[in-house]
Protein backbone atom coordinates (compact mmCIF):
# COMPACT_ATOMS: atom_id res chain seq x y z
CA UNK A 1 0.00 0.00 0.00
CA UNK A 2 3.01 2.29 -0.21
CA UNK A 3 4.76 3.61 -3.30
CA UNK A 4 8.39 2.73 -3.79
CA UNK A 5 10.25 5.85 -4.79
CA UNK A 6 13.89 6.33 -5.59
CA UNK A 7 13.81 10.00 -4.63
CA UNK A 8 11.74 12.45 -2.64
CA UNK A 9 8.43 13.43 -4.23
CA UNK A 10 7.65 17.12 -4.57
CA UNK A 11 4.09 18.05 -3.69
CA UNK A 12 2.22 20.28 -6.14
CA UNK A 13 2.76 23.97 -5.52
CA UNK A 14 0.05 26.19 -4.17
CA UNK A 15 -1.60 23.74 -1.81
CA UNK A 16 -3.69 25.29 0.93
CA UNK A 17 -2.57 24.38 4.41
CA UNK A 18 -5.98 24.32 6.13
CA UNK A 19 -8.30 21.34 6.45
CA UNK A 20 -7.98 17.64 7.10
CA UNK A 21 -5.97 16.86 4.00
CA UNK A 22 -3.14 19.08 5.13
CA UNK A 23 -2.81 16.80 8.14
CA UNK A 24 -0.58 14.62 6.02
CA UNK A 25 1.59 17.51 4.85
CA UNK A 26 4.26 19.56 6.53
CA UNK A 27 3.49 23.28 6.41
CA UNK A 28 7.11 24.17 5.79
CA UNK A 29 8.22 21.20 3.74
CA UNK A 30 6.30 19.94 0.74
CA UNK A 31 8.33 16.82 0.03
CA UNK A 32 7.67 13.18 0.70
CA UNK A 33 10.84 11.51 1.89
CA UNK A 34 12.04 8.46 -0.06
CA UNK A 35 11.41 4.96 1.23
CA UNK A 36 14.24 2.97 2.79
CA UNK A 37 15.43 -0.17 1.04
CA UNK A 38 13.00 -3.06 0.90
CA UNK A 39 15.23 -5.27 3.05
CA UNK A 40 15.28 -2.61 5.76
CA UNK A 41 11.50 -2.22 5.66
CA UNK A 42 10.87 -5.94 6.00
CA UNK A 43 13.45 -6.23 8.78
CA UNK A 44 11.54 -3.64 10.79
CA UNK A 45 8.23 -5.35 10.04
CA UNK A 46 9.62 -8.67 11.29
CA UNK A 47 10.98 -6.99 14.42
CA UNK A 48 7.64 -5.28 15.13
CA UNK A 49 5.71 -8.50 14.49
CA UNK A 50 7.91 -10.77 16.64
CA UNK A 51 6.38 -9.91 20.06
CA UNK A 52 2.85 -10.44 18.73
CA UNK A 53 3.82 -13.76 17.13
CA UNK A 54 5.19 -14.89 20.51
CA UNK A 55 1.90 -13.85 22.15
CA UNK A 56 -0.03 -15.77 19.49
CA UNK A 57 2.01 -18.91 20.14
CA UNK A 58 1.48 -18.54 23.88
CA UNK A 59 -2.26 -18.00 23.33
CA UNK A 60 -2.38 -21.26 21.36
CA UNK A 61 -1.49 -23.08 24.60
CA UNK A 62 -4.04 -21.18 26.70
CA UNK A 63 -7.14 -22.91 28.01
CA UNK A 64 -10.24 -21.77 26.09
CA UNK A 65 -13.17 -20.26 27.97
CA UNK A 66 -16.81 -19.64 26.94
CA UNK A 67 -16.23 -15.88 26.71
CA UNK A 68 -13.10 -16.22 24.59
CA UNK A 69 -15.14 -18.48 22.33
CA UNK A 70 -17.23 -15.44 21.40
CA UNK A 71 -14.30 -13.43 20.05
CA UNK A 72 -14.12 -12.55 16.36
CA UNK A 73 -11.90 -15.35 15.08
CA UNK A 74 -13.94 -18.13 16.67
CA UNK A 75 -17.29 -16.60 15.66
CA UNK A 76 -16.12 -16.12 12.07
CA UNK A 77 -14.74 -19.65 11.89
CA UNK A 78 -17.96 -21.17 13.25
CA UNK A 79 -20.10 -19.15 10.85
CA UNK A 80 -17.89 -19.95 7.85
CA UNK A 81 -17.78 -23.66 8.70
CA UNK A 82 -21.58 -23.86 8.98
CA UNK A 83 -22.09 -21.89 5.78
CA UNK A 84 -19.54 -23.69 3.58
CA UNK A 85 -20.34 -27.16 4.90
CA UNK A 86 -24.03 -26.55 4.21
CA UNK A 87 -23.53 -26.16 0.47
CA UNK A 88 -22.92 -23.37 -2.03
CA UNK A 89 -26.42 -21.87 -1.84
CA UNK A 90 -26.35 -21.65 1.93
CA UNK A 91 -22.86 -20.17 1.83
CA UNK A 92 -23.97 -17.40 -0.52
CA UNK A 93 -26.65 -16.33 1.89
CA UNK A 94 -24.67 -16.67 5.11
CA UNK A 95 -21.00 -16.11 4.35
CA UNK A 96 -20.56 -12.36 4.67
CA UNK A 97 -18.00 -10.94 4.38
CA UNK A 98 -16.89 -13.54 1.90
CA UNK A 99 -13.11 -13.18 2.03
CA UNK A 100 -12.66 -13.34 5.80
CA UNK A 101 -15.02 -16.31 6.07
CA UNK A 102 -13.12 -18.30 3.44
CA UNK A 103 -9.80 -17.23 4.98
CA UNK A 104 -10.74 -18.45 8.47
CA UNK A 105 -12.38 -21.64 7.19
CA UNK A 106 -9.27 -22.82 5.34
CA UNK A 107 -6.65 -21.26 7.60
CA UNK A 108 -4.12 -23.87 8.81
CA UNK A 109 -4.56 -24.49 12.57
CA UNK A 110 -7.85 -22.57 12.65
CA UNK A 111 -8.06 -19.71 15.13
CA UNK A 112 -4.45 -20.28 16.21
CA UNK A 113 -3.31 -19.78 12.63
CA UNK A 114 -5.49 -16.69 12.36
CA UNK A 115 -3.84 -15.32 15.51
CA UNK A 116 -0.38 -15.76 14.00
CA UNK A 117 -1.49 -14.07 10.78
CA UNK A 118 -2.98 -11.22 12.80
CA UNK A 119 0.32 -10.91 14.70
CA UNK A 120 2.22 -10.54 11.44
CA UNK A 121 -0.32 -7.98 10.21
CA UNK A 122 0.08 -6.04 13.47
CA UNK A 123 3.81 -5.72 12.91
CA UNK A 124 3.36 -4.68 9.29
CA UNK A 125 0.79 -2.00 10.18
CA UNK A 126 3.05 -0.53 12.88
CA UNK A 127 5.96 -0.32 10.46
CA UNK A 128 3.86 1.16 7.65
CA UNK A 129 2.41 3.86 9.89
CA UNK A 130 5.80 4.69 11.45
CA UNK A 131 7.38 4.80 8.00
CA UNK A 132 4.68 7.11 6.71
CA UNK A 133 5.12 9.47 9.66
CA UNK A 134 8.84 9.70 8.94
CA UNK A 135 8.23 10.29 5.25
CA UNK A 136 5.89 13.18 6.05
CA UNK A 137 8.61 14.85 8.11
CA UNK A 138 7.56 14.13 11.70
CA UNK A 139 10.29 14.21 14.33
CA UNK A 140 11.67 10.90 15.53
CA UNK A 141 10.37 11.40 19.08
CA UNK A 142 6.85 11.88 17.74
CA UNK A 143 7.14 8.79 15.56
CA UNK A 144 8.39 6.71 18.50
CA UNK A 145 5.73 8.09 20.86
CA UNK A 146 2.81 7.26 18.56
CA UNK A 147 4.24 3.90 17.52
CA UNK A 148 4.58 2.91 21.18
CA UNK A 149 1.12 4.35 21.97
CA UNK A 150 -0.44 2.09 19.35
CA UNK A 151 1.65 -1.04 19.75
CA UNK A 152 2.49 -1.21 23.47
CA UNK A 153 -0.95 -1.87 24.87
CA UNK A 154 -3.12 -4.97 25.22
CA UNK A 155 -6.02 -3.62 23.14
CA UNK A 156 -3.95 -3.56 19.94
CA UNK A 157 -2.67 -7.07 20.59
CA UNK A 158 -6.13 -8.33 21.55
CA UNK A 159 -7.78 -7.13 18.34
CA UNK A 160 -4.93 -8.38 16.14
CA UNK A 161 -4.80 -11.85 17.70
CA UNK A 162 -8.50 -12.45 18.36
CA UNK A 163 -10.39 -10.71 15.55
CA UNK A 164 -8.47 -11.00 12.30
CA UNK A 165 -11.25 -9.67 10.08
CA UNK A 166 -11.73 -6.57 12.22
CA UNK A 167 -8.01 -5.89 12.44
CA UNK A 168 -7.48 -6.24 8.70
CA UNK A 169 -10.46 -3.96 8.10
CA UNK A 170 -9.01 -1.33 10.45
CA UNK A 171 -5.55 -1.62 8.90
CA UNK A 172 -6.90 -1.24 5.37
CA UNK A 173 -8.99 1.76 6.42
CA UNK A 174 -5.95 3.46 7.98
CA UNK A 175 -3.88 2.87 4.85
CA UNK A 176 -6.78 4.10 2.71
CA UNK A 177 -6.90 7.34 4.72
CA UNK A 178 -3.19 7.91 4.07
CA UNK A 179 -3.68 7.46 0.34
CA UNK A 180 -6.95 9.40 0.33
CA UNK A 181 -5.19 12.45 1.75
CA UNK A 182 -2.49 12.23 -0.91
CA UNK A 183 -5.13 11.83 -3.60
CA UNK A 184 -7.15 14.87 -2.58
CA UNK A 185 -4.36 17.19 -1.45
CA UNK A 186 -1.61 16.29 -3.89
CA UNK A 187 -3.63 15.13 -6.88
CA UNK A 188 -1.92 11.72 -6.73
CA UNK A 189 -4.28 9.61 -8.84
CA UNK A 190 -2.41 6.38 -8.12
CA UNK A 191 -2.93 6.97 -4.40
CA UNK A 192 -6.64 7.46 -5.08
CA UNK A 193 -6.88 4.10 -6.80
CA UNK A 194 -5.00 2.44 -3.94
CA UNK A 195 -7.34 4.05 -1.42
CA UNK A 196 -10.40 2.83 -3.32
CA UNK A 197 -9.02 -0.71 -3.56
CA UNK A 198 -8.09 -0.72 0.14
CA UNK A 199 -11.63 0.32 1.08
CA UNK A 200 -13.04 -2.37 -1.23
CA UNK A 201 -10.88 -5.04 0.41
CA UNK A 202 -12.09 -3.89 3.82
CA UNK A 203 -15.68 -4.57 2.73
CA UNK A 204 -14.68 -8.11 1.71
CA UNK A 205 -12.91 -8.74 5.01
CA UNK A 206 -14.85 -6.90 7.70
CA UNK A 207 -18.59 -6.30 8.20
CA UNK A 208 -17.59 -2.77 9.24
CA UNK A 209 -16.07 -2.20 5.80
CA UNK A 210 -19.05 -0.32 4.37
CA UNK A 211 -19.13 1.84 7.50
CA UNK A 212 -15.52 2.82 6.76
CA UNK A 213 -16.45 3.57 3.15
CA UNK A 214 -19.26 5.82 4.33
CA UNK A 215 -16.95 7.64 6.75
CA UNK A 216 -14.38 8.15 3.99
CA UNK A 217 -17.07 9.64 1.74
CA UNK A 218 -18.34 11.89 4.54
CA UNK A 219 -14.80 13.12 5.20
CA UNK A 220 -14.43 14.35 1.61
CA UNK A 221 -16.01 17.82 2.18
CA UNK A 222 -13.33 18.75 4.71
CA UNK A 223 -10.39 17.69 2.53
CA UNK A 224 -8.25 20.23 0.69
CA UNK A 225 -8.03 19.81 -3.05
CA UNK A 226 -4.93 20.09 -5.22
CA UNK A 227 -7.14 20.88 -8.24
CA UNK A 228 -9.72 23.02 -6.48
CA UNK A 229 -10.30 25.15 -9.58
CA UNK A 230 -11.80 22.24 -11.53
CA UNK A 231 -15.57 21.98 -11.34
CA UNK A 232 -16.89 18.70 -9.95
CA UNK A 233 -13.43 17.45 -8.96
CA UNK A 234 -14.48 16.66 -5.38
CA UNK A 235 -17.38 14.48 -6.53
CA UNK A 236 -15.10 12.76 -9.04
CA UNK A 237 -12.54 12.04 -6.32
CA UNK A 238 -15.21 10.59 -4.04
CA UNK A 239 -16.43 8.40 -6.89
CA UNK A 240 -12.92 7.00 -7.36
CA UNK A 241 -12.86 6.10 -3.65
CA UNK A 242 -16.27 4.47 -3.35
CA UNK A 243 -16.75 2.92 -6.80
CA UNK A 244 -14.91 -0.39 -6.08
CA UNK A 245 -16.87 -0.89 -2.84
CA UNK A 246 -20.18 -0.02 -4.48
CA UNK A 247 -19.38 -2.49 -7.28
CA UNK A 248 -18.75 -5.23 -4.70
CA UNK A 249 -22.02 -4.42 -2.90
CA UNK A 250 -24.04 -4.50 -6.13
CA UNK A 251 -22.39 -7.73 -7.27
CA UNK A 252 -23.21 -9.38 -3.95
CA UNK A 253 -26.79 -8.14 -4.13
CA UNK A 254 -27.23 -9.46 -7.68
CA UNK A 255 -25.80 -12.86 -6.71
CA UNK A 256 -28.10 -13.08 -3.68
CA UNK A 257 -31.09 -12.11 -5.82
CA UNK A 258 -30.30 -14.69 -8.51
CA UNK A 259 -29.71 -17.56 -6.07
CA UNK A 260 -31.86 -16.72 -3.06
CA UNK A 261 -34.31 -14.20 -4.53
CA UNK A 262 -33.29 -11.76 -1.81
CA UNK A 263 -30.74 -9.06 -2.74
CA UNK A 264 -30.08 -8.33 0.93
CA UNK A 265 -29.67 -11.95 2.10
CA UNK A 266 -26.00 -11.61 3.03
CA UNK A 267 -26.29 -8.40 5.01
CA UNK A 268 -29.61 -9.50 6.55
CA UNK A 269 -27.89 -12.55 8.00
CA UNK A 270 -25.15 -10.37 9.48
CA UNK A 271 -27.28 -7.75 11.24
CA UNK A 272 -28.27 -8.77 14.75
CA UNK A 273 -29.97 -6.21 16.98
CA UNK A 274 -30.29 -8.35 20.09
CA UNK A 275 -31.27 -7.38 23.64
CA UNK A 276 -27.88 -8.71 24.74
CA UNK A 277 -26.10 -6.14 22.58
CA UNK A 278 -28.32 -3.29 23.71
CA UNK A 279 -27.79 -4.30 27.33
CA UNK A 280 -24.06 -4.38 26.68
CA UNK A 281 -24.15 -0.85 25.32
CA UNK A 282 -26.16 0.33 28.31
CA UNK A 283 -23.66 -1.30 30.67
CA UNK A 284 -20.75 0.14 28.68
CA UNK A 285 -21.81 3.74 29.08
CA UNK A 286 -22.96 3.26 32.67
CA UNK A 287 -19.47 2.19 33.79
CA UNK A 288 -15.93 3.53 33.78
CA UNK A 289 -15.34 1.76 30.46
CA UNK A 290 -17.70 4.19 28.74
CA UNK A 291 -15.89 7.14 30.27
CA UNK A 292 -12.59 5.76 28.98
CA UNK A 293 -14.07 5.50 25.48
CA UNK A 294 -15.21 9.11 25.69
CA UNK A 295 -11.71 10.00 26.89
CA UNK A 296 -10.33 8.52 23.68
CA UNK A 297 -12.64 10.74 21.65
CA UNK A 298 -11.59 13.77 23.69
CA UNK A 299 -7.93 12.86 23.17
CA UNK A 300 -8.48 12.65 19.42
CA UNK A 301 -10.25 16.01 19.34
CA UNK A 302 -7.51 17.57 21.47
CA UNK A 303 -4.85 16.27 19.10
CA UNK A 304 -6.73 17.75 16.14
CA UNK A 305 -6.83 21.15 17.84
CA UNK A 306 -3.16 20.99 18.90
CA UNK A 307 -1.99 20.45 15.33
CA UNK A 308 -4.37 23.05 13.93
CA UNK A 309 -6.68 20.64 12.11
CA UNK A 310 -10.12 21.16 13.69
CA UNK A 311 -11.80 19.54 10.69
CA UNK A 312 -10.41 16.20 11.87
CA UNK A 313 -12.74 16.32 14.88
CA UNK A 314 -15.62 15.42 12.56
CA UNK A 315 -13.70 12.31 11.50
CA UNK A 316 -13.02 11.39 15.14
CA UNK A 317 -16.70 11.67 16.06
CA UNK A 318 -17.80 9.78 12.92
CA UNK A 319 -15.45 6.92 13.71
CA UNK A 320 -16.69 6.67 17.28
CA UNK A 321 -20.36 6.74 16.29
CA UNK A 322 -19.77 4.33 13.42
CA UNK A 323 -18.02 1.70 15.53
CA UNK A 324 -20.50 1.91 18.40
CA UNK A 325 -23.37 1.75 15.89
CA UNK A 326 -21.72 -1.23 14.20
CA UNK A 327 -21.61 -3.05 17.52
CA UNK A 328 -25.27 -2.24 18.16
CA UNK A 329 -26.44 -3.83 14.89
CA UNK A 330 -24.17 -6.88 14.99
CA UNK A 331 -21.27 -5.86 12.73
CA UNK A 332 -18.85 -6.23 15.66
CA UNK A 333 -18.68 -9.46 17.74
CA UNK A 334 -20.16 -9.41 21.24
CA UNK A 335 -16.80 -10.26 22.83
CA UNK A 336 -14.99 -7.36 21.17
CA UNK A 337 -12.69 -4.84 22.79
CA UNK A 338 -10.28 -2.20 21.54
CA UNK A 339 -11.84 -1.54 18.14
CA UNK A 340 -12.51 2.11 18.97
CA UNK A 341 -9.03 2.69 20.35
CA UNK A 342 -7.15 0.93 17.55
CA UNK A 343 -9.18 2.53 14.76
CA UNK A 344 -9.07 6.07 16.09
CA UNK A 345 -5.37 6.04 16.96
CA UNK A 346 -4.41 4.39 13.65
CA UNK A 347 -6.29 7.03 11.68
CA UNK A 348 -4.86 9.82 13.86
CA UNK A 349 -1.36 8.58 13.06
CA UNK A 350 -2.25 8.35 9.37
CA UNK A 351 -3.22 12.04 9.14
CA UNK A 352 -0.92 13.57 11.78
CA UNK A 353 0.98 16.56 10.30
CA UNK A 354 4.51 17.63 11.15
CA UNK A 355 4.48 20.12 14.02
CA UNK A 356 6.70 23.20 13.77
CA UNK A 357 6.41 24.62 17.29
CA UNK A 358 8.54 22.93 19.96
CA UNK A 359 5.87 23.49 22.60
CA UNK A 360 3.14 22.02 20.42
CA UNK A 361 5.41 19.12 19.55
CA UNK A 362 6.03 18.43 23.23
CA UNK A 363 2.30 18.52 23.97
CA UNK A 364 1.61 16.14 21.08
CA UNK A 365 4.22 13.70 22.43
CA UNK A 366 2.71 13.92 25.92
CA UNK A 367 -0.74 13.24 24.49
CA UNK A 368 0.61 10.22 22.62
CA UNK A 369 2.32 8.84 25.73
CA UNK A 370 -0.89 9.26 27.74
CA UNK A 371 -2.62 6.87 25.35
CA UNK A 372 -0.67 3.96 26.86
CA UNK A 373 -2.06 4.18 30.43
CA UNK A 374 -5.45 5.08 28.96
CA UNK A 375 -5.43 1.87 26.90
CA UNK A 376 -4.31 -0.24 29.88
CA UNK A 377 -7.03 1.29 32.02
CA UNK A 378 -9.60 0.53 29.32
CA UNK A 379 -8.30 -3.04 29.11
CA UNK A 380 -8.80 -3.55 32.83
CA UNK A 381 -12.48 -2.65 32.39
CA UNK A 382 -13.18 -5.17 29.63
CA UNK A 383 -13.89 -8.64 30.96
CA UNK A 384 -12.87 -10.44 27.79
CA UNK A 385 -9.46 -8.72 27.69
CA UNK A 386 -8.81 -9.44 31.36
CA UNK A 387 -9.78 -13.08 30.85
CA UNK A 388 -7.52 -13.29 27.80
CA UNK A 389 -4.55 -11.86 29.71
CA UNK A 390 -5.17 -14.23 32.60
CA UNK A 391 -5.21 -17.14 30.13
CA UNK A 392 -1.87 -15.98 28.69
CA UNK A 393 -0.30 -15.75 32.16
CA UNK A 394 -1.65 -19.19 33.06
CA UNK A 395 -0.26 -20.65 29.83
CA UNK A 396 3.21 -19.23 30.55
CA UNK A 397 3.29 -20.17 34.23
CA UNK A 398 1.69 -23.56 33.88
Amino acid sequence: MTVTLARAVQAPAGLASAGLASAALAPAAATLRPLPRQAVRWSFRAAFAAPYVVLALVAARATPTPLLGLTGNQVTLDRATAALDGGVVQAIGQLYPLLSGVLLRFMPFGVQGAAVLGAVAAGVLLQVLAQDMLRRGLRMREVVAFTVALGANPLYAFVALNDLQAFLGIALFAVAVVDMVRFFAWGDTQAGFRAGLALMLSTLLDPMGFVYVGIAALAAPVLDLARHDQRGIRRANVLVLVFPSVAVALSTAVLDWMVLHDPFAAIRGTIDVSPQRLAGLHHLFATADGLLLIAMVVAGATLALLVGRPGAIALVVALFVGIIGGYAIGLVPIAAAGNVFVTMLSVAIAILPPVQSRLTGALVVVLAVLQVPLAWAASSQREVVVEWMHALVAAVSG
Side-chain angles (χ1 to χ4, degrees), residues 228-317:
H228 54 81
D229 56 335
Q230 298 182 19
R231 185 177 181 180
I233 188 64
R234 192 180 298 277
R235 291 192 296 272
N237 286 354
V238 172
L239 184 61
V240 170
L241 291 176
V242 304
F243 175 77
S245 301
V246 171
V248 166
L250 291 177
S251 300
T252 302
V254 169
L255 183 61
D256 285 345
W257 177 74
M258 292 176 61
V259 176
L260 302 171
H261 308 292
D262 180 3
F264 305 107
I267 191 66
R268 200 189 306 279
T270 302
I271 293 178
D272 174 29
V273 185
S274 64
Q276 184 179 4
R277 288 182 177 273
L278 298 179
L281 285 177
H282 179 268
H283 173 76
L284 178 67
F285 290 103
T287 63
D289 196 12
L291 294 177
L292 291 169
L293 285 177
I294 297 299
M296 293 177 188
V297 177
V298 172
T302 303
L303 179 62
L305 293 175
L306 277 177
V307 299
R309 304 294 181 256
I313 296 176
L315 182 57
V316 170
V317 175

Side-chain angles (χ1 to χ4, degrees), residues 11 16 33 35 47 68 72 102 141 171 182 195 200 205 212 245 263 309 312 333 369 371 385 392:
R33 294 177 181 176
L35 286 167
L68 292 177
V102 172
R141 64 174 177 269
R182 294 179 188 172
M200 179 201 70
L205 285 164
Y212 297 144
S245 301
R309 304 294 181 256
V369 172
Q371 300 304 303
V385 181
L392 291 177

Side-chain angles (χ1 to χ4, degrees), residues 129-222:
L129 291 177
Q131 170 184 282
D132 193 72
M133 284 189 285
L134 284 173
R135 297 188 73 200
R136 295 198 307 267
L138 273 71
R139 298 182 181 92
M140 180 59 71
R141 64 174 177 269
E142 296 161 357
V143 174
V144 171
F146 278 98
T147 303
V148 170
L150 182 61
N153 69 80
L155 292 175
Y156 185 77
F158 179 83
V159 177
L161 272 58
N162 291 281
D163 197 347
L164 179 63
Q165 66 175 13
F167 186 80
L168 293 179
I170 293 168
L172 287 166
F173 178 56
V175 172
V177 170
V178 172
D179 284 328
M180 183 174 71
V181 168
R182 294 179 188 172
F183 178 42
F184 276 75
W186 288 22
D188 186 344
T189 305
Q190 187 182 33
F193 289 143
R194 289 198 307 270
L197 291 174
L199 290 173
M200 179 201 70
L201 283 174
S202 74
T203 66
L204 292 172
L205 285 164
D206 185 7
M208 287 289 294
F210 285 109
V211 176
Y212 297 144
V213 173
I215 292 172
L218 291 174
V222 297

